[in-house]
Amino acid sequence: MRKKEVALKGIITVLMAVVGILFLLPFAWMLSASFKLEGEVFTYPIQWIPSEWIGFRNYEEVWFGKHPFYKYYWNSIKVSVATTILSCTVSALAAYGFSKINFKASKWLFFIVLATFMVPQQAILVPQFILYRMIGLFDSHPGLILLNGFSVLGTFMLRQFFMGLPNDYIESAKIDGAGHFRIFAKIALPLITPAVATYAILRFIWTWNDYQNPFIFLRTDALYPIQLAMQKFTSINGEFYSLIMAAAVSAIVPLLILFVIGQKRVLEGIALGGIKG
Amino acid sequence: MDNSQQVKVKRRRSSMQTKETIAGFIFVTPMLLGVSCMVLLPILAAFYISFTEWNMISGIKGIKWIGIDNFERLVEDKKFIRALKNNFLFLFTVPAYMIISLFLAIIINRYVYAKSWFKVIYFLPYISSVVAVATVWRVLFHPSVGPVNQFLMTLGIDDPPKWIADPQYALISVMMISVWISIGFNMIVYLAGLQSIPKDLYEAAEIDGAGGWYRLTRITIPLLSPTTFFLLITGIIYTFKVFDLIAVLTQGGPAGSTNVMVWSIYESAFVSLEVGYASSMALVLFGCILLITIIQWIGQKKWVNY
């Protein structure tokens, strides 16, 4: 590359870095406020580095104070992990059934499943609520898990990958006397593990961040996942912005870690189907 | 092959087909059951309930069939019309973040070092929970002590807008936050689209002496049209479903200035307990999204071209 081009690229990189920092300023402010004394949160000009180091005092209050966050964290972990496992299992099974098993009804059954994708959940909240009230799933973790457990998106995505597997693998296994369950578990599923992992990470993130469903389908405080707890915490501690910011950081950090670990997969998954929860 | 052998083969084949069918049903049943109970049944119920008056507390017996009264009321309900209008105003966020994302994607794809860092930076708001992000913005936009207004005041603006507390600025504030959140997702999809454009097209254009503008408008943008179309459709659908941001930031206020369809549905169903009326709103929402999906089906073939 010519020298001029290298220099130009360098300058643009620096400019873009400045734009990037501006873009992330809200995060910086949040992080900084979470380490401040309440009285110093709004001092202006903004002190990005707190003048007095109070350590993790705000975080201690958030995590082990009156409304201990560790409980809500546990709820979020439980619900997100269970939803992810359920959704991956159901979707993988259906995806295999719709792509690698030859049966007559397959086509129109798949059409039914795809058609439900057009129904926005917001349009059926009321009947879902009534149904949950009637069958006793309202205000429970299993109910919440079931709400996000049947994903058309996941089925569709994994089906694409199953279709990419050569049929010879399955035919030769069949000749060896293997049934579909063995083929699914021992051959097909292991071959598309990367796709399942991508979908699992995305599903986990979406469930962790979900606010609408817990908001409508949960009432008991002890069952709250982190997003609801965060909202409650804000309304209780209305004026304690340093605590609220510590809570916000706590709500984001686990996902940040997951994202950094699975970065390549998440970005690929998003780019691949261009998917959105 | 004599006759009896043929029959045997046929029988074996059909028994194998039965086996396949049974296996097929077993594999897809959990999913089918799930979507039937969670989606199909509820949407049918929503259709029915939208023609009734019901407050849920009175039990199933309290359902009263009232025909299209709910829909007649909807047409004249100023609050709902405002919400619908706000949803349409919200649509302006889509082209806004798409243009910004495309611009960023082109720069990051070709003109910077440390690409993956930039991807992570712009993706962060998307990965963060809406509740946490919205809470932060609410504090940043605080009318008197918030950093945004303090900054504006040092710039000499004595009377800065009250942002989400001001009926005039509330919707635009929420929209700005929504743009900020959505940039990352759109940029990642655009980056993937850019990488799928064959490099030799650019090289050929360069040999022909084509300038940067020409390459952008004659190669990049046309070849990205499937991506653009996809992002436009998902973006529009997403704006119609917006709820979390509104619920955390403004709850439809102040003075209904940020009320949107889903928030209206929530309020009439779970606050004023008018379940029938809420369901009629839900059907309008469903109709909007159905319409967009149909446009997508037709448009995919018609408008996506090189």
Side-chain angles (χ1 to χ4, degrees), chain A residues 1 5-10 12-13 16-17 19-24 26-27 29-30 41-44 46 90-94 96-98 100-105 109 111-113 116 118-132 134 137 143 146-147 150-152 155 174 180-181 184 205-206 208-212 215-216 219 227-228 230-231 234 239 241 244-245 248-249 251-252 255-256 259-260 263 266-267 270-277, chain B residues 16-17 19-21 23-28 30-35 37-43 45-46 49 54 56 60 97 103-104 107-108 110-114 116 118-133 135-140 142 145-147 150-152 154 179-186 188-189 192 230 234-235 238 241-244 247-249 251 262-263 265-266 269-270 275 278-279 282-283 285-286 289-290 293 297:
Chain A
M1 225 192 291
E5 264 177 62
V6 175
L8 189 69
K9 212 173 167 181
I12 294 177
T13 307
M16 283 291 286
V19 175
I21 290 169
L22 286 175
F23 191 78
L24 293 186
F27 286 105
W29 191 87
M30 166 179 77
V41 168
F42 288 115
T43 45
Y44 194 85
I46 299 167
V90 173
S91 287
L93 280 172
Y96 181 87
F98 283 131
K100 290 296 172 198
I101 303 178
N102 244 324
F103 64 113
K104 255 193 192 153
L109 288 179
F111 181 77
I112 292 178
V113 171
T116 62
M118 275 185 295
V119 180
Q121 203 218 339
Q122 287 81 353
I124 51 174
L125 279 175
V126 173
Q128 279 182 336
F129 181 85
I130 296 163
L131 178 76
Y132 266 40
M134 287 198 308
L137 279 173
L146 283 174
L147 274 174
F150 303 96
S151 162
V152 179
T155 308
K174 257 192 218 162
H180 274 298
F181 284 98
F184 171 75
I205 292 174
W206 292 331
W208 184 277
N209 283 340
D210 184 20
Y211 174 71
Q212 181 186 296
F215 179 66
I216 288 175
R219 287 288 175 275
Q227 309 305 340
L228 267 193
M230 164 97 214
Q231 180 67 346
T234 322
E239 297 297 318
Y241 292 109
I244 292 171
M245 290 305 116
V249 173
I252 292 176
L255 279 196
L256 203 63
F259 176 60
V260 170
Q263 196 211 115
V266 177
L267 294 183
I270 295 270
L272 182 86
I275 6 176
K276 199 167 199 174
Chain B
M16 256 176 69
Q17 190 50 56
K19 251 189 181 168
E20 282 284 290
T21 308
F25 270 100
I26 293 174
F27 271 89
V28 302
M31 185 71 198
L32 277 177
L33 269 181
V35 297
C37 299
M38 293 297 187
V39 186
L40 286 179
L41 192 70
I43 191 73
I49 299 170
W54 189 26
M56 258 194 300
I60 302 271
Y97 60 63
F103 178 73
L104 287 171
I107 291 180
I108 289 170
R110 252 194 109 176
Y111 303 102
V112 297
Y113 298 103
S116 56
F118 285 102
K119 283 192 205 171
V120 174
I121 286 176
Y122 290 104
F123 205 62
L124 260 184
Y126 179 80
I127 218 87
S128 310
S129 85
V130 170
V131 181
V133 161
T135 310
V136 175
W137 276 104
R138 207 174 48 193
V139 183
L140 293 178
H142 193 290
V145 292
Q150 297 220 29
F151 177 69
L152 288 177
T154 55
V179 168
W180 179 74
I181 292 174
S182 309
I183 284 175
F185 171 79
N186 285 266
I188 294 298
V189 179
F230 165 78
T234 35
Y238 177 75
K241 295 191 204 169
V242 64
F243 176 78
D244 293 7
V248 179
L249 274 173
Q251 313 212 305
V262 182
W263 183 259
I265 295 173
Y266 165 75
F270 300 106
V275 176
S279 291
L283 284 194
L285 174 73
F286 179 46
I289 287 178
L290 201 65
T293 315
W297 279 346

Side-chain angles (χ1 to χ4, degrees), chain B residues 286-297:
Chain B
F286 179 46
C288 288
I289 287 178
L290 201 65
L291 193 73
I292 299 160
T293 315
I294 292 169
I295 292 174
Q296 180 185 19
W297 279 346

Side-chain angles (χ1 to χ4, degrees), chain B residues 40-271:
Chain B
L40 286 179
L41 192 70
I43 191 73
L44 292 177
F47 269 96
Y48 176 72
I49 299 170
S50 71
F51 293 102
T52 65
E53 193 184 292
W54 189 26
N55 64 12
M56 258 194 300
I57 306 170
S58 56
I60 302 271
K61 275 182 205 143
I63 303 181
K64 209 174 94 197
W65 179 268
I66 55 166
I68 57 163
D69 282 12
N70 283 330
F71 292 94
E72 278 173 0
R73 189 177 147 199
L74 260 189
V75 182
E76 276 160 28
D77 185 343
K78 284 209 180 94
K79 256 181 101 184
F80 183 71
I81 300 214
R82 180 88 189 264
L84 199 65
K85 206 180 108 198
N86 284 341
N87 264 121
F88 279 99
L89 285 175
F90 223 95
L91 285 179
F92 284 107
T93 57
V94 181
Y97 60 63
M98 280 176 67
I99 290 168
I100 298 171
S101 313
L102 177 61
F103 178 73
L104 287 171
I106 289 173
I107 291 180
I108 289 170
N109 190 41
R110 252 194 109 176
Y111 303 102
V112 297
Y113 298 103
K115 258 191 211 178
S116 56
W117 274 96
F118 285 102
K119 283 192 205 171
V120 174
I121 286 176
Y122 290 104
F123 205 62
L124 260 184
Y126 179 80
I127 218 87
S128 310
S129 85
V130 170
V131 181
V133 161
T135 310
V136 175
W137 276 104
R138 207 174 48 193
V139 183
L140 293 178
F141 274 152
H142 193 290
S144 52
V145 292
V148 173
N149 271 1
Q150 297 220 29
F151 177 69
L152 288 177
M153 281 192 269
T154 55
L155 286 184
I157 302 166
D158 290 330
D159 191 21
K162 291 195 178 67
W163 303 110
I164 57 170
D166 183 334
Q168 255 197 312
Y169 286 92
L171 188 66
I172 191 96
S173 311
V174 177
M175 284 166 69
M176 283 184 335
I177 298 170
S178 177
V179 168
W180 179 74
I181 292 174
S182 309
I183 284 175
F185 171 79
N186 285 266
M187 193 196 73
I188 294 298
V189 179
Y190 263 136
L191 268 173
L194 282 173
Q195 268 146 20
S196 68
I197 298 177
K199 284 223 168 59
D200 34 337
L201 277 179
Y202 291 108
E203 281 159 21
E206 224 161 321
I207 291 166
D208 289 347
W213 180 251
Y214 186 91
R215 274 175 304 187
L216 177 72
T217 52
R218 296 298 165 88
I219 301 175
T220 312
I221 291 177
L223 280 172
L224 280 178
S225 68
T227 314
T228 303
F229 187 67
F230 165 78
L231 286 175
L232 186 69
I233 295 291
T234 35
I236 292 172
I237 292 179
Y238 177 75
T239 62
F240 275 104
K241 295 191 204 169
V242 64
F243 176 78
D244 293 7
L245 255 187
I246 303 289
V248 179
L249 274 173
T250 61
Q251 313 212 305
S257 58
T258 58
N259 198 3
V260 289
M261 266 194 280
V262 182
W263 183 259
S264 309
I265 295 173
Y266 165 75
E267 270 199 327
S268 17
F270 300 106
V271 181

